[in-house]
Amino acid sequence: MAIPGYKILKKIGDGGMSSVYLAIQLSVGREVALKVLSPELRNEKNFIEKFFREANIVGTLSHPNIVSIYDVGTHDGHYYIAMDYLPGEACSDRIKAGQLDLNTSVRIIKDIASALDYAHERGFVHCDVKPDNILFRHDGSAVLTDFGIAINANVASRGALAGVAGTPHYMSPEQTQGSGTDGRADLYSLGVVFYEMLAHEVPYKGKDAVAVAMKHMTAPIPQLPDHLSEFQSVINKLLAKKPAARFQTGRELIAAINTAMQAHENTSVNDRFVRGGDSSNSLPHTLLLIANRFVHEKIELFRRLQFSPRYGLVLQGAGMPAFDTGSTSNADAGGGDTTSFNTTSFRHNLGEALKQNMATRLVAPTWLALLMVVLLLLITSILFGEVFTGPFWRKLTGPEIISVTA
């Protein structure tokens, strides 16, 4: 297989509809993940439309935690999408390997919740949120990939589309019934992922897809281990059978997770203080933990401060991923992803965050400039005031004239 403009190096994955290759985009000399529609589906109009619909949907989304693409086209019967290449393993691999601690799991869920919130506000529903479709950049941030069965809820009346699509263990009750899907179905699926991270197993199992679907619709929500009880209310709301009883937006979920995490940390510190005993549970150790958390919170607050000549001094929301200027890439059989940042995209993302109330302007640019001028004048006065009035200045200006009166 040959596609003009690309040098294909090797196959890196296979999926139901497509294969993914590691390739070099010759025009810029960068590695990309080249997703190519399976040869068996070249003449299937419906599959071709789905393939390019994914490219169109992803092409309209620009978010740090959503897959991005570089190119889409067809050549000699080969339909392809060029995406960033991210060689890291999928979230499913990390779950199986037991590599996810609580802090990492919470960060991943918040990253994907932020991505879903962004997509849902623009009318898009992913429909297949699962660990296989969560990949990672080199800095550890999570990326939502594979929008192959995503839908645009705006094209249907009442904002929902009917149909059965997804992965049984992660599908919401309304998806399994084919009664209609909106963004709250994605949050249910993310709840299944979160439960799996915390409990090391999916909440509902069965001998086949139908049995699993029935449990999603009728079985009670399982309980987390006692040491994670602070997150049970979050799981209960994520996995509610009725969409109206769930979190309605990703931002609501992020806020609830932050609250649960704070409660868990407080409980952990209190438990250590009460238990006493060995040196790891002693009072000095507990005080050290409290001090460490205090410092961590202040560092996190400082990290969330952003300065822009256009927007002034801005404080990012707690659930909002930090903007950076690096670029990374990721790919699997379902898709690949990376988001590249530069000064323009930084301003764009900061502006979007302010519009969506995901960031707060602390000081407007004009007032910030005025404050800097006042500080500069104050510092100048402090530094040079002594020089102008001290012995050094008197030596330069000559002997001091003393007036003597009778």
Side-chain angles (χ1 to χ4, degrees):
M1 180 179 65
I3 295 178
Y6 297 90
K7 179 182 178 182
I8 297 177
L9 302 180
K10 63 179 180 179
K11 180 183 286 190
I12 57 176
D14 274 309
M17 285 179 54
S18 60
S19 297
V20 179
Y21 298 86
L22 173 61
I24 301 295
Q25 188 176 11
L26 299 177
S27 59
V28 291
R30 65 182 165 197
E31 289 184 327
V32 298
L34 204 60
K35 184 175 182 178
V36 182
L37 186 67
S38 298
E40 296 81 6
L41 303 176
R42 292 178 188 174
N43 298 321
E44 300 291 336
K45 183 178 179 180
N46 289 339
F47 284 98
I48 294 174
E49 290 177 352
K50 287 182 179 179
F51 188 76
F52 284 117
R53 183 170 67 241
E54 175 183 5
N56 291 334
I57 289 176
V58 176
T60 64
L61 302 176
S62 176
H63 188 276
N65 303 109
I66 293 181
V67 60
S68 59
I69 63 174
Y70 291 134
D71 186 24
V72 60
T74 179
H75 173 73
D76 196 23
H78 297 296
Y79 299 92
Y80 66 89
I81 303 174
M83 300 168 285
D84 284 317
Y85 170 59
L86 294 176
E89 58 193 356
C91 184
S92 56
D93 297 321
R94 296 190 179 186
I95 292 176
K96 292 175 183 176
Q99 297 176 351
L100 299 179
D101 57 22
L102 177 60
N103 289 329
T104 304
S105 298
V106 164
R107 179 178 52 75
I108 292 171
I109 295 299
K110 288 167 62 176
D111 282 351
I112 301 304
S114 178
L116 290 174
D117 190 76
Y118 178 87
H120 294 164
E121 284 191 341
R122 285 151 184 79
F124 298 110
V125 185
H126 188 278
C127 296
D128 198 18
V129 177
K130 59 183 179 181
D132 283 339
N133 291 336
I134 298 175
L135 306 175
F136 302 95
R137 298 197 180 93
H138 293 296
D139 64 358
S141 58
V143 179
L144 181 62
T145 69
D146 196 353
F147 283 70
I149 61 173
I151 60 175
N152 185 343
N154 293 328
V155 304
S157 60
R158 297 181 298 278
L161 293 177
V164 178
T167 303
H169 281 104
Y170 302 91
M171 289 171 64
S172 66
E174 61 268 27
Q175 279 179 283
T176 61
Q177 297 174 27
S179 59
T181 300
D182 61 22
R184 294 170 295 184
D186 282 343
L187 294 178
Y188 181 96
S189 300
L190 187 59
V192 177
V193 176
F194 194 24
Y195 181 90
E196 184 178 6
M197 287 176 168
L198 299 179
H200 308 294
E201 63 178 0
V202 292
Y204 304 115
K205 299 177 182 179
K207 61 181 180 180
D208 54 34
V210 175
V212 173
M214 287 300 298
K215 289 189 176 182
H216 277 291
M217 291 186 286
T218 61
I221 298 171
Q223 298 295 301
L224 291 170
D226 290 342
H227 69 282
L228 296 173
S229 60
E230 294 83 8
F231 295 92
Q232 188 63 52
S233 61
V234 177
I235 293 296
N236 290 345
K237 196 164 185 177
L238 280 169
L239 300 184
K241 307 301 182 186
K242 301 294 184 182
R246 297 176 202 147
F247 295 106
Q248 302 299 292
T249 66
R251 274 174 288 178
E252 287 184 18
L253 171 57
I254 291 172
I257 289 178
N258 287 338
T259 300
M261 191 65 182
Q262 187 65 53
H264 177 77
E265 291 176 347
N266 290 340
T267 300
S268 298
V269 170
N270 291 338
D271 285 347
R272 293 189 185 99
F273 180 79
V274 171
R275 284 197 306 264
D278 59 45
S279 60
S280 64
N281 295 319
S282 62
L283 178 59
H285 183 72
T286 300
L287 294 176
L288 181 61
L289 287 173
I290 295 174
N292 180 66
R293 188 174 66 193
F294 176 81
V295 172
H296 176 77
E297 289 174 353
K298 300 310 174 187
I299 292 175
E300 176 66 15
L301 181 66
F302 182 78
R303 186 189 67 82
R304 286 163 50 201
L305 287 174
Q306 301 286 351
F307 170 73
S308 165
R310 180 175 180 180
Y311 298 108
L313 188 63
V314 176
L315 179 66
Q316 296 176 216
M320 190 175 178
F323 301 134
D324 57 62
T325 55
S327 65
T328 50
S329 40
N330 201 353
D332 71 352
D337 181 13
T338 288
T339 305
S340 298
F341 293 93
N342 52 34
T343 305
T344 303
S345 64
F346 173 86
R347 290 196 300 266
H348 171 74
N349 285 327
L350 202 55
E352 283 292 317
L354 288 168
K355 291 179 182 177
Q356 299 173 33
N357 296 320
M358 294 179 70
T360 303
R361 180 184 284 114
L362 300 180
V363 184
T366 303
W367 286 105
L368 186 60
L370 182 60
L371 179 61
M372 292 177 67
V373 170
V374 171
L375 288 175
L376 182 61
L377 291 175
L378 180 61
I379 293 172
T380 302
S381 175
I382 293 174
L383 292 179
F384 294 99
E386 175 64 23
V387 174
F388 293 150
T389 60
F392 176 76
W393 178 256
R394 287 197 296 270
K395 288 182 180 180
L396 291 178
T397 55
E400 185 177 10
I401 300 176
I402 302 175
S403 175
V404 179
T405 57

